[in-house]
Amino acid sequence: NVPGAFSANYVSIARQINALPQSEEKYVVVRAGGVMARGFPVAAETVMFITDTFLPRDREAKHVEYLLPADYEARKSSLAGKRIFFVD
């Protein structure tokens, strides 16, 4: 029960993002529910912390963009072929 309780799946996503070149565009779609903090469900904070993309300037520097489901659906066709990760 420990991996699930401590969001091991989110840690895995963050490690995958960190393994990619910083210059490559990466998109994180936050579909997990829960309390919102700074515009995203708190579930996204695990990925933000491990990838050091909590602040907007760090996201920009590392080419990581966080999207809510509605934003993803609106931009889905333009994101074809991009690195997309889902936080469920």
Side-chain angles (χ1 to χ4, degrees):
N1 294 333
V2 173
F6 288 94
S7 305
N9 53 333
Y10 301 158
V11 172
S12 176
I13 289 169
R15 287 182 176 157
Q16 291 175 53
I17 291 170
N18 283 339
L20 295 170
Q22 188 169 324
S23 61
E24 186 174 338
E25 293 179 353
K26 298 158 284 282
Y27 299 86
V28 181
V29 181
V30 186
R31 298 190 293 199
V35 177
M36 299 292 278
R38 296 178 179 87
F40 296 98
V42 293
E45 290 184 354
T46 299
V47 176
M48 290 176 175
F49 177 76
I50 294 172
T51 59
D52 192 26
T53 57
F54 190 78
L55 298 175
R57 70 172 182 255
D58 297 324
R59 293 178 203 160
E60 186 177 330
K62 295 182 178 190
H63 297 95
V64 177
E65 185 174 347
Y66 292 87
L67 302 169
L68 293 173
D71 300 323
Y72 170 67
E73 290 300 323
R75 296 176 55 192
K76 197 173 191 174
S77 61
S78 67
L79 297 176
K82 305 281 185 183
R83 297 283 186 153
I84 302 172
F85 302 88
F86 294 93
V87 174
D88 293 312

